[in-house]
């Protein structure tokens, strides 16, 4: 249910209007990476998919977004109205305000911002009747694309929007039982491409980590799971 249910074109319009580069540069400001996929770069045995409009400049994206918005039956005179749920946090608040501002300035979308104390937010995000868009984050449990893509499986507790697609489910199931890493990678990439065409999620940025390291120490690069074990540190020469 809700205004975005069964409207992938409208969801695409919302994604097109979010200026990820401006948000990471001027709002997040900690080196976060603009996201156009669910799976980030650097994951083992995987190259993330991207939407077909990734290479368009901002003006072309907005033109496409406004056409999709109009096709869905909305206009500045008849705006889309959305409830955006998020947990109370200074940075999260700033990100959500920036996203809502992009939707408003580009399309005329009216957004009701709904911040909640974290425990109340956890309960509310499990009930889509209380929101139209919910802000969530995710960190992988292990270094594999499936740790991201499985969050949108029909039975996943992280699939808060309850998006389902039979072909997506088939691809995840086939990948889970595939021993050949090349074939498995192709199955997962097909799944991500299919999902991105329907826009059940709107990736904004990938997290980054910052660390202080004493001068004179050498260590391997931090891995994609943000782990570097102290036993590998050694004095520099």
């Amino acid at each position: 249910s809700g205004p975005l249910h069964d409207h992938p074109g409208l969801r695409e319009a919302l994604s097109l209007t979010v200026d990820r580069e401006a948000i990471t540069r001027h709002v997040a400001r900690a080196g976060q990476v603009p996201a156009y996929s669910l799976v980030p770069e650097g994951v083992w045995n995987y190259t993330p998919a991207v939407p077909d409009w990734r290479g368009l400049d901002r003006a072309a994206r907005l033109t496409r977004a406004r056409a999709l918005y109009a096709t869905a039956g909305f206009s500045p005179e008849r705006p889309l109205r959305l409830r955006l749920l998020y947990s109370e946090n200074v940075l999260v608040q700033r990100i959500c305000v920036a996203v809502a501002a992009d939707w408003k300035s580009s399309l005329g979308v009216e957004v009701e911002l709904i911040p909640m104390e974290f425990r109340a937010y956890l309960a509310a995000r499990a009930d889509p009747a209380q929101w139209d868009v919910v802000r969530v984050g995710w960190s992988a449990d292990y270094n594999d694309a499936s740790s991201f893509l499985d969050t949108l499986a029909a039975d996943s507790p992280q699939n808060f929007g309850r998006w389902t697609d039979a072909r997506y489910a088939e691809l995840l199931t086939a990948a889970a039982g595939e021993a050949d890493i090349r074939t498995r990678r192709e199955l997962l990439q097909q799944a991500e491409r299919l999902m991105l065409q329907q826009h059940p999620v709107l990736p904004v940025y990938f997290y980054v980590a910052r660390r202080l390291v004493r001068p004179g120490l050498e260590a391997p690069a931090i891995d994609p799971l943000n782990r570097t074990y102290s036993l590998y540190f050694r004095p520099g020469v």
Side-chain angles (χ1 to χ4, degrees):
S1 61
L4 302 181
H5 184 68
D6 288 338
H7 288 92
L10 186 55
R11 298 194 296 261
E12 179 179 355
L14 295 176
S15 187
L16 281 158
T17 60
V18 173
D19 191 340
R20 296 154 172 83
E21 284 72 19
I23 288 174
T24 53
R25 185 181 307 116
H26 302 299
V27 181
R29 297 189 300 178
Q32 290 89 343
V33 179
Y36 292 87
S37 58
L38 179 59
V39 184
E41 294 283 352
V43 171
W44 173 79
N45 189 43
Y46 197 78
T47 300
V50 293
D52 58 7
W53 47 261
R54 172 68 178 87
L56 298 180
D57 62 22
R58 179 109 180 115
R61 291 181 191 180
L62 294 182
T63 297
R64 178 165 169 165
R66 287 164 182 153
L68 290 166
Y69 189 68
T71 298
F74 296 98
S75 66
E77 296 73 33
R78 185 180 179 271
L80 172 66
R81 289 182 167 82
L82 297 174
R83 298 164 297 164
L84 173 54
L85 172 71
Y86 57 93
S87 60
E88 289 181 335
N89 172 284
V90 173
L91 177 57
V92 168
Q93 168 95 13
R94 293 176 64 194
I95 298 294
C96 290
V97 168
V99 168
D102 280 342
W103 290 343
K104 175 66 175 178
S105 63
S106 301
L107 300 173
V109 178
E110 299 287 346
V111 182
E112 177 188 358
L113 297 170
I114 308 175
M116 285 190 178
E117 182 274 330
F118 191 67
R119 283 183 293 181
Y121 155 82
L122 291 179
R125 75 178 184 182
D127 179 12
Q130 298 190 44
W131 47 268
D132 303 303
V133 182
V134 60
R135 185 271 174 192
V136 297
W138 182 250
S139 296
D141 296 311
Y142 46 88
N143 187 5
D144 191 88
S146 65
S147 190
F148 293 94
L149 299 175
D150 285 352
T151 63
L152 289 176
D155 59 351
S156 168
Q158 281 76 43
N159 188 356
F160 302 109
R162 300 175 186 172
W163 173 78
T164 60
D165 182 274
R167 179 58 180 158
Y168 186 81
E170 290 173 1
L171 289 166
L172 291 187
T173 299
E178 179 56 59
D180 181 78
I181 63 171
R182 182 174 299 179
T183 302
R184 184 173 180 277
R185 177 177 66 244
E186 292 170 355
L187 290 167
L188 292 173
Q189 288 171 334
Q190 286 182 49
E192 186 174 28
R193 282 195 298 271
L194 182 153
M195 180 273 294
L196 290 176
Q197 290 169 359
Q198 297 189 35
H199 301 275
V201 294
L202 194 168
V204 178
Y205 63 86
F206 294 119
Y207 294 136
V208 292
R210 292 176 291 180
R211 294 192 176 188
L212 294 175
V213 179
R214 191 177 71 192
L217 285 180
E218 291 184 0
I222 297 172
D223 69 15
L225 290 174
N226 190 29
R227 295 170 182 166
T228 298
Y229 297 101
S230 59
L231 66 91
Y232 297 121
F233 281 78
R234 62 187 180 87
V237 293

